[in-house]
Amino acid sequence: MQCAYFDSARCRSCTLMGEPYAAQLRAKQDRCARALAGSVASTAWLPPVASAEAHFRNKAKLVVGGRPGAVTIGILDATGGGVDLRECGLYEAGLGEMLPLRADFVDDVRLEPYDVASRRGEIKHLIVTHSPDDELMVRFVARSRKHETLLRKHLPALQREIPSVAVVSMNIQPEHKAVLEGDLELVLTDRELLPMDVGGVTLQLRPNSFFQTNTAVAAALYRQARDWLGAVSPRSVWDLYCGVGGFALHCATAGSPPPDEVLGVELAPDGIESARVAAASLAALGQVTGNLRFEVGDATTLVHRGLEVPDAVVVNPPRRGIGTDLAGWLDSSPVRHVVYSSCNVDSLARDLAAMPRLRPVGARLFDMFPQTTHHEVMVLLQRWSA
Ligand SMILES: C[S@@+](CC[C@H](N)C(=O)[O-])C[C@H]1O[C@@H](n2cnc3c(N)ncnc32)[C@H](O)[C@@H]1O
């Protein structure tokens, strides 16, 4: 893929830009296989799942910069000045086409971009998600609620101009530090959920929930987990770090018979709320027969609550991995299968080394993030000694 922003050095975020995609994929596969060589046999690897090279991101996270009348959406340069990247080629078509209109909206209604150097202004980021049904969720991250009335007033105009805008919210991030968003989310539209059809399962997304950014590759990831677990038909499954429930909702229909019990656990209450809505819809359609539950909780302490131990566990932690405590519990528990999906092969390697009684019998790279060295790798572990 070629990118004019990269070639002119305006943006160097995609460090592999310009390298042939086949070579990128080979290098990522080699890197992951090398990092996991101590645990994962070369024969366990399935062929990597490739992505589209361009127009694969369902989400744009853009820094709002410049000044009223000349707003930029993109990144900041070394001096804190706004660099406009509204034509970035990574975004899905339905997302990229709408970015100029949203940038114009910021200008038209006179929202003040936040200026990092002077610590003045209001709007810090614009975060936009595009669904497979061609709907949009738009979030304005602001320093304070100062522009709330203005945004509410102009909301009907925004929705008239861009009818695909289904959910709009304002996130308040008052601190002067490099944090994308804050804790307070004000939903400005009647709708607060964006349905995301991922591989035939409709997940529900709230503004501040985590969601995989490459919908097509996420569908392959969830499908693989469902196939791996379906082949061993666990009676009960836990999905730890479940977010909006992607793995749990897919695994609830895995195997014959499918599991009787599926429990998803996640720290963020909004993720759990979204997962419950999606689960209720699946149940209403008769697609889930077992007991599918979601709970707010800490994955690392849940295992010490004395609950009945499941047959299989899915873990999909943040970059730091699951850590020695949870890894040690899984290793010494009677859990027979673990599916571990990771965005950091180094923490995955550490965690696998802490689970010697669980042997990797399958592994696969899912290229969620072409043009960068980021990766998602998933392994299937099977207990081989008590
Ligand atoms: C990589 S995301 C995975 C989300 C989900 N599995 C998916 O496919 O979209 C990691 C998730 O772990 C959650 N999380 C972080 N620490 C946690 C913890 N100690 N216990 C439970 N969830 C946690 C985050 O809020 C985030 O939603």
Side-chain angles (χ1 to χ4, degrees):
M1 175 183 172
Q2 291 304 126
C3 169
Y5 295 132
F6 184 87
D7 293 342
S8 62
R10 293 183 75 183
C11 172
R12 286 293 167 105
S13 308
C14 293
T15 51
L16 303 183
M17 188 58 76
E19 283 193 26
Y21 183 60
Q24 292 183 25
L25 201 57
R26 227 176 6 254
K28 278 190 212 189
Q29 174 66 37
D30 290 350
R31 151 116 172 79
C32 290
R34 253 196 329 275
L36 299 181
S39 316
V40 181
S42 57
T43 49
W45 286 96
L46 293 169
V49 173
S51 168
E53 284 182 53
H55 306 299
F56 56 84
R57 272 188 75 94
N58 59 28
K59 184 172 186 175
K61 297 182 195 173
L62 302 153
V63 181
V64 178
R67 54 190 159 70
V71 166
T72 59
I73 53 166
I75 55 174
L76 297 181
D77 64 20
T79 67
V83 178
D84 198 278
L85 301 177
R86 70 184 68 184
E87 287 179 13
C88 169
L90 301 190
Y91 303 131
E92 289 178 359
L95 176 55
E97 285 158 13
M98 293 301 158
L99 284 183
L101 285 174
R102 282 187 300 269
D104 291 348
F105 175 80
V106 172
D107 246 346
D108 290 349
V109 307
R110 296 267 148 195
L111 299 174
E112 305 155 35
Y114 182 69
D115 181 66
V116 175
S118 65
R119 302 188 175 199
R120 296 167 79 119
E122 281 296 318
I123 303 295
K124 296 180 166 185
H125 304 115
L126 198 55
I127 305 176
V128 189
T129 306
H130 178 241
S131 80
D133 295 334
D134 210 20
E135 290 191 319
L136 295 166
M137 174 182 278
V138 182
R139 302 173 67 205
F140 294 89
V141 181
R143 180 169 70 147
S144 74
R145 296 178 74 157
K146 180 178 170 192
H147 283 339
E148 183 184 344
T149 313
L150 197 59
L151 271 174
R152 286 189 188 277
K153 181 174 154 208
H154 289 280
L155 196 56
L158 176 67
Q159 290 190 291
R160 258 196 318 277
E161 192 176 357
I162 315 174
S164 54
V165 171
V167 182
V168 178
S169 71
M170 201 176 170
N171 177 280
I172 310 303
Q173 203 287 80
E175 298 187 54
H176 182 75
K177 49 183 191 189
V179 178
L180 185 65
E181 54 191 81
D183 293 333
L184 179 60
E185 190 86 25
L186 307 165
V187 180
L188 308 182
T189 41
D190 293 339
R191 277 181 57 186
E192 55 180 12
L193 288 167
L194 189 69
M196 300 285 289
D197 182 328
V198 184
V201 174
T202 303
L203 308 180
Q204 300 286 344
L205 179 60
R206 269 194 166 65
N208 48 358
S209 306
F210 173 90
F211 201 81
Q212 309 283 357
T213 51
N214 186 324
T215 310
V217 178
L221 181 79
Y222 296 141
R223 197 164 47 238
Q224 182 69 68
R226 176 162 62 190
D227 289 352
W228 275 341
L229 290 184
V232 296
S233 287
R235 198 188 51 76
S236 50
V237 180
W238 285 355
D239 174 10
L240 304 183
Y241 309 89
C242 72
V244 297
F247 284 102
L249 291 158
H250 281 77
C251 292
T253 55
S256 15
D260 294 330
E261 297 277 341
V262 177
L263 171 64
V265 174
E266 157 67 44
L267 268 187
D270 276 17
I272 291 300
E273 277 297 304
S274 308
R276 285 180 180 153
V277 173
S281 305
L282 274 190
L285 292 170
Q287 290 177 6
V288 179
T289 49
N291 183 15
L292 174 55
R293 288 183 302 126
F294 291 93
E295 271 186 28
V296 176
D298 184 335
T300 58
T301 55
L302 171 89
V303 297
H304 301 302
R305 273 177 29 195
L307 303 176
E308 193 179 332
V309 177
D311 294 341
V313 174
V314 179
V315 292
N316 182 209
R319 289 188 65 73
R320 62 178 180 273
I322 61 173
T324 48
D325 190 33
L326 180 52
W329 183 88
L330 285 168
D331 190 52
S332 56
S333 76
V335 171
R336 297 208 54 75
H337 292 95
V338 174
V339 173
Y340 190 143
S341 185
S342 165
C343 59
N344 179 354
V345 75
D346 298 318
S347 60
L348 174 62
R350 266 198 315 274
D351 289 338
L352 292 185
M355 296 187 283
R357 283 173 278 202
L358 288 160
R359 176 185 288 165
V361 291
R364 196 163 203 184
L365 169 71
F366 295 82
D367 193 17
M368 296 262 187
F369 318 103
Q371 320 305 339
T372 75
T373 56
H374 295 292
H375 50 265
E376 183 77 23
V377 59
M378 188 160 72
V379 292
L380 170 65
L381 310 174
Q382 185 174 304
R383 183 163 304 285
W384 68 284
S385 87

